[in-house]
Amino acid sequence: MLLKTNEDQEIINYLLSAEREAREVVKITDTYPDLTIEKAYELQDGLLARRLKDNQTKTVGIKLGLTSKAKQEMMGVNEAIYGYLHADMLAYEWEPMKRSELIHPKAEPEIAFFLEKDLEGENVTEEDVMEATKYVAPALEVIDSRYKDFRFTLTDVVADNCSSIKFVVGSQLVSPRELDLGNIGMVMSKNGKVEQTGSSAAVLGHPATAIAWAASQLSKRGRGFKKGEIILSGAMSEAISFDSGDTIVAQFHGLGSVSFYCQ
Ligand code: OOG
Ligand code: MG
């Protein structure tokens, strides 16, 4: 699908100002119903280039999204997606997250992969993913779709960099071979009450399978994962909403826990 260059810029401005002003907006497919997935990734690229410049930040990794059936059903789609993580999205356990900077945030339990080798090409295997991974760590991703009521189509969410806004990584770094990565049990709680339980098996059967899938998608666009990057492999359960005053904790078997407080 072709949009005029100025339309691309308009969409990018529209989504970036929604993020900056922490305000939800009508989804773009209401105006551009024929938006294709290829075009959505092009818009994502344009948005990311602008965001890097405006926020004077840099890319630190890639996130996968909608890699579990629970998330796909929750969002009414049947395909996984990817977006990019910037340095200014990195949040810390000890630093309260500011509710006022967010629209309608949700937390997701994920496993983070730290790469010590590039991972590129359309035939990347799970074994290659394990081989390239230095550590895995527990993570909480905060997603904050810019779209009204968190409702969107696949192309909308891709253009919006897959709802990315913040991520917190726990301090326990473990070699991927020391764990049964394909079945890590997880409990996520809010203010001490269990809200979600799950397993890393929910992430396309094994998080490394999800990363291998993403490597092949990236290679179609002449890209790949790079040494030193962090990958969020996708939510292991449904996302949960939180508000100011809430503490979210996710505990992972063999990987410890990760938490944040929202102010
Ligand atoms: C899209 C992002 C999904 C995940 O881990 O599945 C995602 C959304 O649900 O808003 O990050
Ligand atoms: Mg996620």
Side-chain angles (χ1 to χ4, degrees), residues 10 26 50 54 92 166 174 184 203 256 260:
E10 256 173 49
V26 169
R50 266 285 303 285
D54 291 359
Y92 300 95
K166 298 274 177 206
V174 179
I184 294 180
V203 180
F260 67 83

PDB file of all heavy atoms in Angstrom, residues 10 26 50 54 92 166 174 184 203 256 260:
ATOM      1  N   GLU A  10       2.721  12.323   8.983  1.00  0.00           N
ATOM      2  CA  GLU A  10       1.574  12.680   9.827  1.00  0.00           C
ATOM      3  C   GLU A  10       1.252  11.570  10.822  1.00  0.00           C
ATOM      4  O   GLU A  10       0.982  11.824  11.991  1.00  0.00           O
ATOM      5  CB  GLU A  10       0.334  12.894   8.947  1.00  0.00           C
ATOM      6  CG  GLU A  10      -0.023  14.348   8.762  1.00  0.00           C
ATOM      7  CD  GLU A  10      -1.145  14.496   7.749  1.00  0.00           C
ATOM      8  OE1 GLU A  10      -2.164  13.794   7.852  1.00  0.00           O
ATOM      9  OE2 GLU A  10      -0.960  15.314   6.828  1.00  0.00           O
ATOM     10  N   VAL A  26      -7.254   7.618  18.419  1.00  0.00           N
ATOM     11  CA  VAL A  26      -8.009   6.682  17.581  1.00  0.00           C
ATOM     12  C   VAL A  26      -7.023   5.891  16.724  1.00  0.00           C
ATOM     13  O   VAL A  26      -6.038   6.445  16.232  1.00  0.00           O
ATOM     14  CB  VAL A  26      -8.984   7.499  16.694  1.00  0.00           C
ATOM     15  CG1 VAL A  26      -9.603   6.641  15.617  1.00  0.00           C
ATOM     16  CG2 VAL A  26     -10.045   8.154  17.570  1.00  0.00           C
ATOM     17  N   ARG A  50      12.628   8.697  14.089  1.00  0.00           N
ATOM     18  CA  ARG A  50      12.253   9.990  14.682  1.00  0.00           C
ATOM     19  C   ARG A  50      12.413   9.975  16.199  1.00  0.00           C
ATOM     20  O   ARG A  50      12.905  10.927  16.810  1.00  0.00           O
ATOM     21  CB  ARG A  50      10.788  10.305  14.334  1.00  0.00           C
ATOM     22  CG  ARG A  50      10.603  11.147  13.098  1.00  0.00           C
ATOM     23  CD  ARG A  50      10.946  12.619  13.335  1.00  0.00           C
ATOM     24  NE  ARG A  50      10.154  13.198  14.415  1.00  0.00           N
ATOM     25  CZ  ARG A  50       8.874  13.535  14.285  1.00  0.00           C
ATOM     26  NH1 ARG A  50       8.265  13.391  13.126  1.00  0.00           N
ATOM     27  NH2 ARG A  50       8.217  14.035  15.302  1.00  0.00           N
ATOM     28  N   ASP A  54      14.593  12.540  18.364  1.00  0.00           N
ATOM     29  CA  ASP A  54      13.918  13.450  19.302  1.00  0.00           C
ATOM     30  C   ASP A  54      14.350  13.207  20.745  1.00  0.00           C
ATOM     31  O   ASP A  54      14.516  14.135  21.519  1.00  0.00           O
ATOM     32  CB  ASP A  54      12.392  13.272  19.238  1.00  0.00           C
ATOM     33  CG  ASP A  54      11.797  13.752  17.930  1.00  0.00           C
ATOM     34  OD1 ASP A  54      12.569  14.244  17.078  1.00  0.00           O
ATOM     35  OD2 ASP A  54      10.561  13.628  17.750  1.00  0.00           O
ATOM     36  N   TYR A  92      14.065   0.793  36.110  1.00  0.00           N
ATOM     37  CA  TYR A  92      14.789   0.072  37.155  1.00  0.00           C
ATOM     38  C   TYR A  92      13.874  -0.295  38.306  1.00  0.00           C
ATOM     39  O   TYR A  92      12.912   0.401  38.598  1.00  0.00           O
ATOM     40  CB  TYR A  92      15.958   0.922  37.650  1.00  0.00           C
ATOM     41  CG  TYR A  92      16.920   1.236  36.533  1.00  0.00           C
ATOM     42  CD1 TYR A  92      16.815   2.433  35.828  1.00  0.00           C
ATOM     43  CD2 TYR A  92      17.883   0.311  36.154  1.00  0.00           C
ATOM     44  CE1 TYR A  92      17.669   2.703  34.768  1.00  0.00           C
ATOM     45  CE2 TYR A  92      18.740   0.568  35.096  1.00  0.00           C
ATOM     46  CZ  TYR A  92      18.632   1.764  34.401  1.00  0.00           C
ATOM     47  OH  TYR A  92      19.457   2.015  33.351  1.00  0.00           O
ATOM     48  N   LYS A 166       8.265   0.750  28.368  1.00  0.00           N
ATOM     49  CA  LYS A 166       9.281   0.551  29.419  1.00  0.00           C
ATOM     50  C   LYS A 166       9.568  -0.936  29.576  1.00  0.00           C
ATOM     51  O   LYS A 166       8.714  -1.767  29.267  1.00  0.00           O
ATOM     52  CB  LYS A 166       8.756   1.024  30.786  1.00  0.00           C
ATOM     53  CG  LYS A 166       8.412   2.492  30.877  1.00  0.00           C
ATOM     54  CD  LYS A 166       9.623   3.317  31.213  1.00  0.00           C
ATOM     55  CE  LYS A 166       9.292   4.787  31.238  1.00  0.00           C
ATOM     56  NZ  LYS A 166      10.456   5.611  30.945  1.00  0.00           N
ATOM     57  N   VAL A 174      21.408 -15.732  34.331  1.00  0.00           N
ATOM     58  CA  VAL A 174      21.703 -17.170  34.360  1.00  0.00           C
ATOM     59  C   VAL A 174      22.042 -17.642  32.948  1.00  0.00           C
ATOM     60  O   VAL A 174      21.429 -17.202  31.973  1.00  0.00           O
ATOM     61  CB  VAL A 174      20.460 -17.945  34.897  1.00  0.00           C
ATOM     62  CG1 VAL A 174      20.711 -19.441  34.923  1.00  0.00           C
ATOM     63  CG2 VAL A 174      20.071 -17.456  36.284  1.00  0.00           C
ATOM     64  N   ILE A 184       9.604 -22.758  32.165  1.00  0.00           N
ATOM     65  CA  ILE A 184       9.888 -22.015  33.401  1.00  0.00           C
ATOM     66  C   ILE A 184       8.553 -21.532  33.960  1.00  0.00           C
ATOM     67  O   ILE A 184       7.810 -20.815  33.284  1.00  0.00           O
ATOM     68  CB  ILE A 184      10.815 -20.817  33.103  1.00  0.00           C
ATOM     69  CG1 ILE A 184      12.178 -21.348  32.657  1.00  0.00           C
ATOM     70  CG2 ILE A 184      10.942 -19.902  34.317  1.00  0.00           C
ATOM     71  CD1 ILE A 184      13.177 -20.280  32.346  1.00  0.00           C
ATOM     72  N   VAL A 203       5.245 -19.358  25.261  1.00  0.00           N
ATOM     73  CA  VAL A 203       5.865 -18.510  24.229  1.00  0.00           C
ATOM     74  C   VAL A 203       6.264 -19.394  23.035  1.00  0.00           C
ATOM     75  O   VAL A 203       7.392 -19.889  22.961  1.00  0.00           O
ATOM     76  CB  VAL A 203       7.076 -17.746  24.817  1.00  0.00           C
ATOM     77  CG1 VAL A 203       7.740 -16.869  23.776  1.00  0.00           C
ATOM     78  CG2 VAL A 203       6.628 -16.896  26.011  1.00  0.00           C
ATOM     79  N   GLY A 256      14.670 -16.222  39.781  1.00  0.00           N
ATOM     80  CA  GLY A 256      14.418 -15.147  40.740  1.00  0.00           C
ATOM     81  C   GLY A 256      13.238 -14.288  40.326  1.00  0.00           C
ATOM     82  O   GLY A 256      12.380 -14.709  39.546  1.00  0.00           O
ATOM     83  N   PHE A 260       8.473  -3.788  40.141  1.00  0.00           N
ATOM     84  CA  PHE A 260       8.537  -2.321  40.109  1.00  0.00           C
ATOM     85  C   PHE A 260       7.339  -1.765  40.860  1.00  0.00           C
ATOM     86  O   PHE A 260       6.335  -2.450  41.096  1.00  0.00           O
ATOM     87  CB  PHE A 260       8.597  -1.771  38.678  1.00  0.00           C
ATOM     88  CG  PHE A 260       7.358  -1.995  37.861  1.00  0.00           C
ATOM     89  CD1 PHE A 260       6.254  -1.143  37.956  1.00  0.00           C
ATOM     90  CD2 PHE A 260       7.272  -3.080  36.999  1.00  0.00           C
ATOM     91  CE1 PHE A 260       5.110  -1.374  37.215  1.00  0.00           C
ATOM     92  CE2 PHE A 260       6.125  -3.307  36.254  1.00  0.00           C
ATOM     93  CZ  PHE A 260       5.041  -2.453  36.359  1.00  0.00           C
TER      94      PHE A 260
END
